[in-house]
Amino acid sequence: MIAIAGGHGKIALRLTELLSRRGETVVGLIRNPGHADDVRKRGGQPVVCDLERADAASIAAAIKGASAVVFAAGAGPGSGAERKRTMDRDGAIKLLDAAVQVGTLRYVIVSSVGAENPPDGDDVFSVYLRAKAEADQAVQASDRDWTVLRPGGLTDEPGTGRVRLDLDPFRGQVARDDVAAVLDALLQDARAARVTLYVNGGDTPIMPALDGLL
């Protein structure tokens, strides 16, 4: 069983479909009960669990039995600085605490390029990158088998199955389809534990790109 926080997100729904197709049980944590059918249509099992309001114990109950968790949640465009902190940072940390409580070792977090050196400004995007950075740091300091994935600009273009992966920061754009496919591959690859990766569109098929890097 794999639990995805932010289960109704664009990347999460794509990942749910990929995982369910290969026989995984997928639990999608959602805030809005009205999104449950969308998760079901992709093959997932929706569980209403608002990461901003729930405590770690409640989240632990929702993910109990998961062999891996994926943090793909976010406050989303149009949200203010405070929600970047309460969702993008605090939500990720509460999911981490919950994973520890239930003994889930694998933790994959969708971050962002720029989190490696976030700016100091008070604008919303700067706060967002600092929130991502603080969430990543908490995950990286944990004893989980974590992976941090930092994509560049996300698009809704059809995926190509070809990417550029690197251990060092670089900027670009990448289809959400391809980010989901990379997450699917990472969840199956023990070599990715305790690794921070950057991903954007590129010329190399995903598995050879991972093999070359890991």
Side-chain angles (χ1 to χ4, degrees):
M1 184 181 112
I2 296 173
I4 304 176
H8 191 257
K10 292 182 177 182
I11 291 173
L13 288 174
R14 289 166 165 84
L15 179 59
T16 296
E17 188 167 5
L18 292 174
L19 293 171
S20 62
R21 278 181 186 172
R22 63 176 176 86
E24 296 284 359
T25 298
V26 184
V27 170
L29 305 186
I30 57 174
R31 179 169 59 98
N32 184 349
H35 293 158
D37 282 346
D38 291 336
V39 175
R40 290 191 190 98
K41 287 175 183 176
R42 299 297 186 105
Q45 300 175 5
V47 173
V48 177
C49 182
D50 185 343
L51 294 186
E52 289 181 282
R53 297 179 181 275
D55 58 18
S58 299
I59 300 169
I63 67 169
K64 187 175 181 180
S67 59
V69 294
V70 179
F71 185 82
S79 57
E82 185 56 30
R83 289 205 65 222
K84 305 303 185 188
R85 299 184 186 96
T86 58
M87 175 55 81
D88 294 271
R89 180 191 65 192
D90 298 348
I93 293 172
K94 284 194 280 188
L95 182 66
L96 174 63
D97 292 341
V100 172
Q101 287 184 30
V102 297
T104 301
L105 285 175
R106 193 79 176 95
Y107 188 113
V108 178
I109 183 170
V110 181
S111 182
S112 172
V113 67
E116 69 283 346
N117 187 25
D120 294 330
D122 294 328
D123 60 288
V124 173
F125 189 64
S126 296
V127 174
Y128 164 75
L129 286 178
R130 288 201 301 276
K132 282 293 190 187
E134 290 165 12
D136 292 353
Q137 289 161 9
V139 171
Q140 291 163 332
S142 76
D143 63 354
R144 303 296 91 182
D145 291 336
W146 54 264
T147 303
V148 176
L149 184 65
R150 290 174 173 164
L154 298 169
T155 77
D156 289 323
E157 296 295 317
T160 65
R162 295 176 177 270
V163 295
R164 177 187 166 193
L165 288 167
D166 210 315
L167 299 175
D168 296 316
F170 71 103
R171 296 188 178 272
Q173 290 190 320
V174 60
R176 288 179 172 88
D177 284 348
D178 290 329
V179 175
V182 170
L183 290 167
D184 184 25
L186 290 171
L187 285 164
Q188 302 176 68
D189 198 330
R191 300 174 300 174
R194 299 189 164 268
V195 176
T196 299
L197 301 174
Y198 294 82
V199 62
N200 279 301
D203 300 321
T204 308
I206 289 169
M207 289 312 302
L210 279 175
D211 288 340
L213 199 61
L214 300 178

